[in-house]
Amino acid sequence: MNDTRFEIFVPAGTDAEQALAATTHLGVAAHPDDLEIMAIDGILKGYDGGGNVFSGIVLTNGSGAPRGGKFAGLNGAGLAALRKEEQKEAARVGRYGALVFMNYTSQDVKQRSGIVESIAKAIAAARPRVIYTHSLLDAHLTHSAAAWRVVQALRSLPEELIPEHVYGCEVWRGMEWLPARWRVAFDCSRRQKLQRQLLKVFRTQIESGKRYDRAVPGRRAANATFDRPDAADQARATAYALDMTPLARDKSLSARAFLQEILRDFEQDVLSALPDDA
């Protein structure tokens, strides 16, 4: 994979190209720590083994994140360096196959700036069965842009390189409201200690006041409990995603048309639940 922008980290210390090529489940995240929030299904599958290998791509260096406490005085470059080391530690803890740092800026992601081609190269090198990325519904502008860049990258690849599944995962917007035909539920009840460890690695965020180590497990627990009002909980923790596979496969389908159909379904769900005299 000839791209001087890339930095490939392999926790096991083996050959980078081979480690990436062994990937079965791939997360494509905008910032350091997004993988651990959104791609936990793939991380757990890779950690458990059985032929599954999780690898991650981080598009930006995260230099613009909030900083507080002892990190308040850090400049962007200093914060980016620390966040990269935290992401590497998460890869060690989670037994990732490989970790690709692309070192773009958030502005690059929003404006395209060659990032689509870079993502396509990485996906072609990994050839994953499953991709986890951000959702087009995400409220963070860099996240929603990253989701579209991944779709564009996939559309540029030959059909045989398109994964079986492409999931847009929740970060800065929950997905419990999605109509059933669009929503994918991942049971992430197992290895709760590991999940907490993965989040606590990111001290630059947690100690700056962004308590992802509390919020993310809380969201997953809430998703599991509020999944169905008519049945006992089926899981201790659930992560939701939007199935974006049709969007990746159908080059004629616009993102706006795709989202409009989802919103129409949501409107119908809400209105049909009202009593007849409402």
Side-chain angles (χ1 to χ4, degrees):
M1 191 169 60
N2 298 320
D3 195 318
T4 56
R5 179 182 292 274
F6 295 173
E7 175 188 342
I8 305 178
F9 171 69
V10 180
T14 55
D15 178 77
E17 299 289 340
Q18 291 180 4
L20 191 58
T23 302
T24 59
H25 294 68
L26 179 68
V28 186
H31 309 102
D33 76 24
D34 285 338
L35 290 170
E36 292 67 31
I37 295 173
M38 72 180 193
I40 192 61
D41 177 70
I43 292 171
L44 291 175
K45 284 183 167 65
Y47 191 91
D48 291 340
N52 295 318
V53 176
F54 177 82
S55 293
I57 297 171
V58 181
L59 301 180
T60 78
N61 60 23
S63 60
R67 65 205 78 172
K70 67 182 182 181
F71 302 108
L74 277 179
N75 61 20
L79 180 63
L82 286 178
R83 295 192 74 187
K84 181 174 287 187
E85 291 308 310
E86 290 172 344
Q87 186 64 77
K88 289 180 179 179
E89 179 60 19
R92 296 185 191 97
V93 171
R95 301 177 184 171
Y96 300 0
L99 193 59
V100 180
F101 294 99
M102 289 196 170
N103 301 311
Y104 283 97
T105 67
S106 290
Q107 200 63 24
D108 290 333
V109 177
K110 295 172 187 174
Q111 295 180 347
R112 182 161 177 156
S113 304
I115 197 167
V116 170
E117 293 74 17
S118 293
I119 296 170
K121 286 180 184 178
I123 292 172
R127 300 178 68 101
R129 297 198 310 267
V130 179
I131 284 182
Y132 308 85
T133 190
H134 295 284
S135 164
L136 289 168
L137 297 161
D138 199 292
H140 192 308
L141 297 183
T142 308
H143 288 192
S144 57
W148 182 238
R149 301 302 171 224
V150 171
V151 171
Q152 289 177 305
L154 288 167
R155 288 179 169 190
S156 74
L157 293 171
E159 186 175 350
E160 63 268 21
L161 294 182
I162 306 301
E164 297 170 15
H165 302 287
V166 180
Y167 298 122
C169 307
E170 56 187 357
V171 182
W172 288 104
R173 184 167 277 142
M175 293 191 182
E176 75 288 344
W177 62 273
L178 275 177
R181 71 179 275 216
W182 303 100
R183 189 179 68 188
V184 180
F186 298 116
D187 185 342
C188 49
S189 304
R190 66 194 187 282
R191 300 195 183 278
Q192 291 291 309
K193 182 178 179 181
L194 171 66
Q195 294 184 47
R196 291 191 296 272
Q197 288 176 324
L198 287 168
L199 295 165
K200 287 180 178 179
V201 160
F202 297 95
R203 291 178 290 277
T204 57
Q205 298 304 289
I206 291 170
E207 295 178 24
S208 292
K210 299 303 295 181
R211 295 306 305 264
Y212 299 125
D213 59 324
R214 293 178 181 172
V216 175
R219 171 187 273 171
R220 292 171 185 164
N223 285 346
T225 292
F226 289 103
D227 180 40
R228 291 184 57 184
D230 58 348
D233 296 357
Q234 302 299 301
R236 290 175 56 203
T238 301
Y240 289 137
L242 168 65
D243 185 358
M244 300 201 309
T245 313
L247 194 60
R249 291 186 176 278
D250 185 354
K251 296 180 182 180
S252 69
L253 179 60
S254 73
R256 293 181 187 278
F258 179 72
L259 294 179
Q260 284 169 347
E261 185 175 0
I262 293 170
L263 295 175
R264 283 194 296 268
D265 280 0
F266 175 67
E267 180 184 44
Q268 184 59 37
D269 272 5
V270 172
L271 295 179
S272 65
L274 292 171
D276 293 338
D277 60 347

Short mmCIF file of all heavy atoms in Angstrom, two decimals, residues 182 254-266:
data_model
loop_
_atom_site.label_atom_id
_atom_site.label_comp_id
_atom_site.label_asym_id
_atom_site.label_seq_id
_atom_site.Cartn_x
_atom_site.Cartn_y
_atom_site.Cartn_z
N TRP A 182 -34.12 -0.63 9.17
CA TRP A 182 -32.85 0.04 8.98
C TRP A 182 -31.87 -0.21 10.12
O TRP A 182 -30.66 -0.07 9.95
CB TRP A 182 -33.05 1.55 8.86
CG TRP A 182 -33.98 1.95 7.78
CD1 TRP A 182 -35.30 2.30 7.90
CD2 TRP A 182 -33.70 2.00 6.38
NE1 TRP A 182 -35.85 2.58 6.69
CE2 TRP A 182 -34.88 2.42 5.72
CE3 TRP A 182 -32.55 1.76 5.62
CZ2 TRP A 182 -34.95 2.58 4.34
CZ3 TRP A 182 -32.62 1.93 4.24
CH2 TRP A 182 -33.81 2.33 3.62
N SER A 254 -28.50 8.48 -4.01
CA SER A 254 -27.87 9.61 -3.32
C SER A 254 -28.05 9.46 -1.81
O SER A 254 -28.99 8.81 -1.34
CB SER A 254 -28.48 10.94 -3.78
OG SER A 254 -29.79 11.11 -3.24
N ALA A 255 -27.15 10.08 -1.06
CA ALA A 255 -27.26 10.05 0.39
C ALA A 255 -28.55 10.71 0.85
O ALA A 255 -29.20 10.24 1.80
CB ALA A 255 -26.05 10.75 1.02
N ARG A 256 -28.94 11.79 0.20
CA ARG A 256 -30.16 12.50 0.59
C ARG A 256 -31.39 11.63 0.38
O ARG A 256 -32.27 11.57 1.24
CB ARG A 256 -30.28 13.81 -0.19
CG ARG A 256 -29.20 14.82 0.18
CD ARG A 256 -29.36 16.12 -0.58
NE ARG A 256 -28.22 17.00 -0.31
CZ ARG A 256 -28.11 17.78 0.76
NH1 ARG A 256 -29.10 17.81 1.63
NH2 ARG A 256 -27.05 18.53 0.92
N ALA A 257 -31.46 10.95 -0.76
CA ALA A 257 -32.61 10.07 -1.03
C ALA A 257 -32.64 8.92 -0.03
O ALA A 257 -33.72 8.52 0.45
CB ALA A 257 -32.53 9.55 -2.45
N PHE A 258 -31.48 8.38 0.29
CA PHE A 258 -31.37 7.29 1.26
C PHE A 258 -31.90 7.72 2.62
O PHE A 258 -32.73 7.03 3.24
CB PHE A 258 -29.91 6.86 1.35
CG PHE A 258 -29.61 5.77 2.33
CD1 PHE A 258 -29.98 4.46 2.08
CD2 PHE A 258 -28.91 6.04 3.51
CE1 PHE A 258 -29.69 3.44 2.98
CE2 PHE A 258 -28.61 5.04 4.41
CZ PHE A 258 -29.00 3.73 4.14
N LEU A 259 -31.47 8.88 3.08
CA LEU A 259 -31.89 9.38 4.39
C LEU A 259 -33.36 9.80 4.39
O LEU A 259 -34.06 9.60 5.39
CB LEU A 259 -31.01 10.54 4.83
CG LEU A 259 -29.54 10.20 5.10
CD1 LEU A 259 -28.77 11.45 5.50
CD2 LEU A 259 -29.41 9.13 6.18
N GLN A 260 -33.82 10.35 3.29
CA GLN A 260 -35.23 10.75 3.22
C GLN A 260 -36.16 9.55 3.36
O GLN A 260 -37.20 9.63 3.99
CB GLN A 260 -35.48 11.50 1.91
CG GLN A 260 -34.95 12.93 1.93
CD GLN A 260 -34.96 13.58 0.57
OE1 GLN A 260 -35.15 12.92 -0.47
NE2 GLN A 260 -34.76 14.89 0.54
N GLU A 261 -35.76 8.42 2.78
CA GLU A 261 -36.58 7.22 2.91
C GLU A 261 -36.63 6.75 4.36
O GLU A 261 -37.68 6.34 4.87
CB GLU A 261 -36.05 6.10 2.02
CG GLU A 261 -36.93 4.86 2.01
CD GLU A 261 -36.47 3.80 1.03
OE1 GLU A 261 -35.47 4.01 0.33
OE2 GLU A 261 -37.14 2.74 0.97
N ILE A 262 -35.49 6.82 5.05
CA ILE A 262 -35.45 6.45 6.47
C ILE A 262 -36.35 7.38 7.28
O ILE A 262 -37.13 6.92 8.14
CB ILE A 262 -34.00 6.53 7.00
CG1 ILE A 262 -33.14 5.46 6.33
CG2 ILE A 262 -33.97 6.37 8.52
CD1 ILE A 262 -31.66 5.61 6.60
N LEU A 263 -36.28 8.66 7.03
CA LEU A 263 -37.08 9.62 7.78
C LEU A 263 -38.57 9.46 7.49
O LEU A 263 -39.41 9.64 8.39
CB LEU A 263 -36.61 11.04 7.47
CG LEU A 263 -35.19 11.37 7.93
CD1 LEU A 263 -34.78 12.75 7.47
CD2 LEU A 263 -35.07 11.25 9.46
N ARG A 264 -38.92 9.11 6.27
CA ARG A 264 -40.33 8.83 5.96
C ARG A 264 -40.82 7.62 6.73
O ARG A 264 -41.95 7.60 7.25
CB ARG A 264 -40.51 8.62 4.45
CG ARG A 264 -40.50 9.90 3.64
CD ARG A 264 -41.03 9.65 2.23
NE ARG A 264 -40.17 8.74 1.49
CZ ARG A 264 -39.17 9.13 0.71
NH1 ARG A 264 -38.89 10.43 0.59
NH2 ARG A 264 -38.45 8.24 0.03
N ASP A 265 -39.99 6.59 6.81
CA ASP A 265 -40.36 5.41 7.59
C ASP A 265 -40.54 5.76 9.07
O ASP A 265 -41.46 5.27 9.73
CB ASP A 265 -39.28 4.33 7.46
CG ASP A 265 -39.41 3.54 6.16
OD1 ASP A 265 -40.32 3.83 5.38
OD2 ASP A 265 -38.59 2.63 5.94
N PHE A 266 -39.64 6.62 9.59
CA PHE A 266 -39.75 7.04 10.98
C PHE A 266 -41.04 7.83 11.20
O PHE A 266 -41.76 7.60 12.18
CB PHE A 266 -38.55 7.90 11.36
CG PHE A 266 -38.62 8.48 12.74
CD1 PHE A 266 -38.58 7.67 13.86
CD2 PHE A 266 -38.76 9.85 12.93
CE1 PHE A 266 -38.66 8.20 15.15
CE2 PHE A 266 -38.84 10.39 14.20
CZ PHE A 266 -38.79 9.57 15.31
#
